[in-house]
Amino acid sequence: AQRVTQPEKLLSVFKGAPVELKCNYSYSGSPELFWYVQYSRQRLQLLLRHISRESIKGFTADLNKGETSFHLKKPFAQEEDSAMYYCALKPQGGSEKLVFGKGTKLTVNP
Amino acid sequence: NAGVTQTPKFRVLKTGQSMTLLCAQDMNHEYMYWYRQDPGMGLRLIHYSVGEGTTAKGEVPDGYNVSRLKKQNFLLGLESAAPSQTSVYFCASRGAPGNQPQHFGDGTRLSIL
């Protein structure tokens, strides 16, 4: 069965500090990995996905198949980054079941 | 474009009552989904649809029914509401091909007393 684990329920950093939100997954094939973000009082929205290899709002995430991880990183956190972050996995083979982690609440303090 | 619109935004029900949540998307998306979000549980897929007239079970389908009579609408029904169904419900849609991301609605906060 597929599983996504975000080991930190809460993460607090100071503005300007580096931040890393951890995501580990359990899946035997080649999944698609995503990071979704939910800002206060806003809808869940896609932040980035591994196939795009892009940087959004200064965030990057690299898929490490050996460690089955897809950690989200930003070198200098900003207060507006405070939000709930969800890592999600989509199995290969056309499955529609996007599997979400339980989320990490990031707070960036001034 | 409104994207994905959910109605209502809030509702309080008594145990045993029935209700239907409506999800509408104006992006001509083939795929639509209903999730529930509970504290400490993340999002869990209830039901989904890969096209008009089709539905399929997700991770937690019991106690819910869905219908996709029109491509733009995906309805989630609770026939006999239970307190365990108190949650925030999110609808999402996506287009083809398979690597397109899901677009989410604002959510419906449902409380069952």
Side-chain angles (χ1 to χ4, degrees), chain A residues 4 21 33-34 37 43 48 52 59 63 65 67-68 73 82 88 92 95 109:
Chain A
V4 175
L21 292 90
L33 275 299
F34 305 84
V37 60
R43 62 182 63 185
L48 53 79
S52 300
F59 284 97
L63 178 60
K65 292 186 177 181
E67 296 183 357
T68 60
K73 302 177 184 179
S82 297
Q92 68 182 127
S95 171
N109 299 300

Side-chain angles (χ1 to χ4, degrees), chain A residues 19 37-39 42 45-48 54-60 72-78 80-81 83 85:
Chain A
V19 62
V37 60
Q38 187 175 27
Y39 300 103
Q42 293 188 28
Q45 56 188 286
L46 178 69
L47 181 61
L48 53 79
E54 58 200 344
S55 174
I56 303 293
K57 299 184 179 183
F59 284 97
T60 59
L72 183 67
K73 302 177 184 179
K74 185 169 182 177
F76 307 103
Q78 302 300 313
E80 54 266 30
D81 296 328
Y85 291 81

Side-chain angles (χ1 to χ4, degrees), chain A residues 9 32 34 36 38 41-46 49 51 84 86 90 94-103, chain B residues 2-4 31 33 35 37 40-43 45 48 50 57-58 90 94 98-102 104-106:
Chain A
K9 191 178 290 188
E32 293 177 52
F34 305 84
Y36 281 84
Q38 187 175 27
R41 301 182 188 279
Q42 293 188 28
R43 62 182 63 185
L44 199 67
Q45 56 188 286
L46 178 69
R49 46 186 169 165
I51 59 172
M84 279 293 295
Y86 292 95
K90 185 172 184 291
S95 171
E96 289 305 314
K97 297 183 180 181
L98 194 60
V99 180
F100 283 85
K102 294 182 179 181
Chain B
V4 179
Y31 305 88
Y33 313 81
Y35 295 89
Q37 183 185 41
M41 298 294 291
L43 277 80
L45 183 65
Y48 64 98
V50 300
K57 294 181 179 180
F90 285 98
R94 75 166 182 87
N99 60 358
Q100 292 301 304
Q102 295 183 18
F104 284 81
D106 287 330

Side-chain angles (χ1 to χ4, degrees), chain B residues 2 8 16 20-22 27-28 39 50-51 60 65 72 74 84 86-87 89-90 95 104-106 109 113:
Chain B
T20 300
L21 308 185
L22 172 63
M27 297 173 283
N28 200 34
V50 300
V60 288
N65 56 75
Q72 64 267 34
F74 194 31
S84 61
T86 294
S87 187
Y89 292 86
F90 285 98
F104 284 81
D106 287 330
R109 188 174 296 275
L113 304 180

